[in-house]
Amino acid sequence: MIEVNGLHKAFGKLNVLNGIDLKIAKGEVVVVIGPSGSGKSTFLRCLNLLEVPTQGDVIFEGYRITDPKQDINKLRQKMGMVFQQFNLFPHLNVMANLTLSPNHVLKQNKADAEQNAMRLLKMVGLEEKAQSYPNQLSGGQKQRIAIARALAMSPDVMLFDEPTSALDPEMVGEVLDVMKNLAKAGMTMVVVTHEMGFAREVGDRIIFMDGGTIVEQGTPEELFGNPKHPRTKDFLSKVL
């Protein structure tokens, strides 16, 4: 579904990504771990061109999205993104947050968009919050709404950029539960996270990044149970 070839990203003189090669299959849950500043979030943001790579290619469902002639907005409709900071529209209630893009971008009629929004709210356990505004919600509720909003566009892949790092510890579980259910339903997911328990339980493949490169990758059993690279061992000894 996604193929990354020779991906580099520099901000001025600072090289953040140093040649990433990766293939992600349909239905796969890929979890990206590593220390702060290792390039994880930048890598994720390059997958949908929120950051434009300095060099290299990203191919999504056969389309080279790094090609300047490509209609990136059209391709982005198929890539759901969930950020650390929720990014809900504060002046719109939950229902309006969920139906805005389906109405305007997918041209869904109001009734269909609202019906789908209620289905998604039920899925994330928040159907009673349809008329609430973001400032009336807890952090965990906001993030579950943000996931539902991304799903409202019927994406083929979901990208998660540290979706629980801004949450109080007791709210992390409710967001991870929604993500686990998504994974069970077969959604292709790329997740940047510090939640090692989630990585171990849900990831099909774990990628350890450091210094803008993929140092090591493998199944959870391989990476957590028997890491090969000294840098991976050192990192895991501090976080597990």
Side-chain angles (χ1 to χ4, degrees), residues 155-174:
D156 292 342
V157 62
M158 286 283 282
L159 309 175
F160 292 90
D161 188 9
E162 298 192 20
T164 57
S165 64
L167 299 179
D168 292 335
E170 67 266 28
M171 290 173 185
V172 168
E174 62 194 51

Side-chain angles (χ1 to χ4, degrees), residues 4 6 19 57 106 111 115 132 137 175 180 189 200 203 231 239:
V4 179
D57 278 329
L106 299 181
Q115 189 182 357
S132 301
L137 304 171
V175 173
K180 286 174 192 173
M189 292 162 59
R200 180 176 261 163
R231 184 67 191 95
V239 298

Side-chain angles (χ1 to χ4, degrees), residues 41 102 149 152 156 171 180 183 186 194 210:
S41 289
R149 183 178 63 175
D156 292 342
M171 290 173 185
K180 286 174 192 173
H194 292 291
D210 191 32

Side-chain angles (χ1 to χ4, degrees), residues 64-150:
R64 217 174 111 230
I65 67 171
T66 32
D67 182 348
K69 296 193 279 289
Q70 202 60 258
D71 181 355
I72 184 59
N73 289 326
K74 193 116 186 92
L75 293 171
R76 270 198 197 124
Q77 291 172 27
K78 291 286 172 201
M79 306 174 101
M81 178 99 181
V82 178
F83 301 88
Q84 277 180 37
Q85 297 295 350
F86 328 128
N87 293 9
L88 298 172
F89 296 113
H91 62 292
L92 298 178
N93 68 17
V94 165
M95 178 56 76
N97 262 287
L98 263 64
T99 55
L100 186 70
S101 292
N103 284 156
H104 290 276
V105 181
L106 299 181
K107 305 294 185 231
Q108 268 181 15
N109 69 47
K110 190 168 184 279
D112 287 349
E114 288 187 353
Q115 189 182 357
N116 191 41
M118 282 310 292
R119 178 183 68 80
L120 292 167
L121 286 175
K122 202 167 183 170
M123 192 190 97
V124 300
L126 290 170
E127 61 266 46
E128 77 286 358
K129 298 292 185 188
Q131 301 308 315
S132 301
Y133 283 81
N135 67 356
Q136 299 169 310
L137 304 171
S138 71
Q141 289 171 334
K142 286 180 195 169
Q143 194 59 294
R144 284 187 280 159
I145 297 294
I147 293 171
R149 183 178 63 175

